Amino acid sequence: AQTIHQWPVAEIKAVGSPLSLGCTIKGKSSPNLYWYWQATGGTLQQLFYSITVGQVESVVQLNLSASRPKDDQFILSTEKLLLSHSGFYLCAWTQGNTEVFFGKGTRLTVV
Amino acid sequence: GDSVTQTEGLVTLTKGLPVMLNCTYQTTYSPFLFWYVQHLNEAPKLLLKSSTDNKRTEHQGFYATLHKSSSSFHLQKSSVQLSDSALYFCALSLDRGSALGRLHFGAGTQLIVIP
């Protein structure tokens, strides 16, 4: 069975500090991977997607970047956090158009 | 462009009453529609999905029918429970022959069930 793991579970960071969020998927080779962002009580905004190692496409940048260093790993990062980066970050994978599977998310609070 | 509209931001109901959450979509491609449910501080989980016109799909007491003629996929339940309180998202995926599976999410409907 496929499992998706996100780290950390939660972060409190200062404005201007760097950030790195990670996501690993096990049990699925060459998955399509996604980063979503959700403001509190808000909708899910797709940020990035990747269909293969080393290749990442941006949907909405929000002064963030993403990388896929390994087939099963997807990283979201920034060198300088803004207050507007606060929210819930979700990593997800999919098989075509059937269903999107979400990780448990990272709650980020920028202070 | 492709989009999903959920007209209710907040629905408050008494336990035991029926509910319908509206979802309409816009696309020129062949659609896959989904309903996701998100409880507080949890990730969204798939509730229902469909790509078949006029066929009812059901899960955990919830049901929905994709109507391509009206571009709708409304979520219904005949008797809501306290545990149904959550944020519900309608989402659209498009069959473009692509492996991307990108989802367009609606704004979400917060359902609150009171005793």
Side-chain angles (χ1 to χ4, degrees):
Chain A
Q2 298 87 5
T3 59
I4 183 166
H5 174 61
Q6 280 189 248
W7 72 93
V9 173
E11 279 263 51
I12 300 175
K13 302 276 281 185
V15 169
S17 63
L19 174 76
S20 181
L21 304 181
C23 169
T24 298
I25 177 167
K26 298 297 183 186
K28 176 72 180 169
S29 64
S30 303
N32 298 327
L33 295 175
Y34 305 82
W35 279 110
Y36 283 86
W37 173 78
Q38 184 183 30
T40 302
T43 192
L44 294 149
Q45 173 66 63
Q46 192 178 73
L47 300 176
F48 299 94
Y49 66 85
S50 171
I51 59 175
T52 191
V53 175
Q55 190 174 40
V56 176
E57 299 295 331
S58 170
V59 178
V60 175
Q61 278 200 324
L62 298 181
N63 293 308
L64 297 166
S65 60
S67 63
R68 188 165 176 181
K70 300 179 186 177
D71 185 54
D72 63 352
Q73 198 173 75
F74 206 20
I75 307 294
L76 183 70
S77 60
T78 183
E79 293 186 2
K80 229 176 204 185
L81 278 166
L82 307 172
L83 285 173
S84 57
H85 286 136
S86 292
F88 197 36
Y89 288 84
L90 290 154
C91 181
W93 71 274
T94 186
Q95 291 177 310
N97 291 326
T98 55
E99 182 178 344
V100 172
F101 299 88
F102 290 93
K104 292 189 176 181
T106 296
R107 175 75 58 190
L108 174 67
T109 303
V110 183
V111 296
Chain B
D2 307 311
S3 65
V4 175
T5 301
Q6 293 180 249
T7 52
E8 307 99 355
L10 173 65
V11 173
T12 304
L13 282 174
T14 301
K15 174 185 168 184
L17 290 179
V19 66
M20 184 169 86
L21 305 184
N22 290 313
C23 173
T24 55
Y25 64 90
Q26 190 170 15
T27 183
T28 55
Y29 296 90
S30 183
F32 286 76
L33 271 296
F34 303 82
W35 275 102
Y36 280 83
V37 57
Q38 185 180 27
H39 288 93
L40 191 62
N41 294 321
E42 294 184 7
K45 294 177 185 172
L46 182 67
L47 186 57
L48 293 171
K49 63 180 180 181
S50 180
S51 60
T52 306
D53 199 10
N54 297 318
K55 182 180 176 183
R56 175 165 152 160
T57 181
E58 298 187 40
H59 184 63
Q60 295 182 339
F62 287 92
Y63 59 94
T65 304
L66 176 60
H67 292 296
K68 292 185 179 180
S69 60
S70 58
S71 299
S72 67
F73 190 56
H74 304 319
L75 180 68
Q76 299 184 72
K77 190 175 186 183
S78 57
S79 175
V80 293
Q81 304 304 308
L82 295 175
S83 58
D84 294 329
S85 294
L87 189 53
Y88 291 81
F89 290 103
C90 184
L92 167 71
S93 182
L94 305 173
D95 183 7
R96 296 182 181 178
S98 161
L100 294 177
R102 178 181 171 183
L103 284 183
H104 300 264
F105 282 91
T109 298
Q110 181 72 51
L111 174 63
I112 297 175
V113 181
I114 56 177

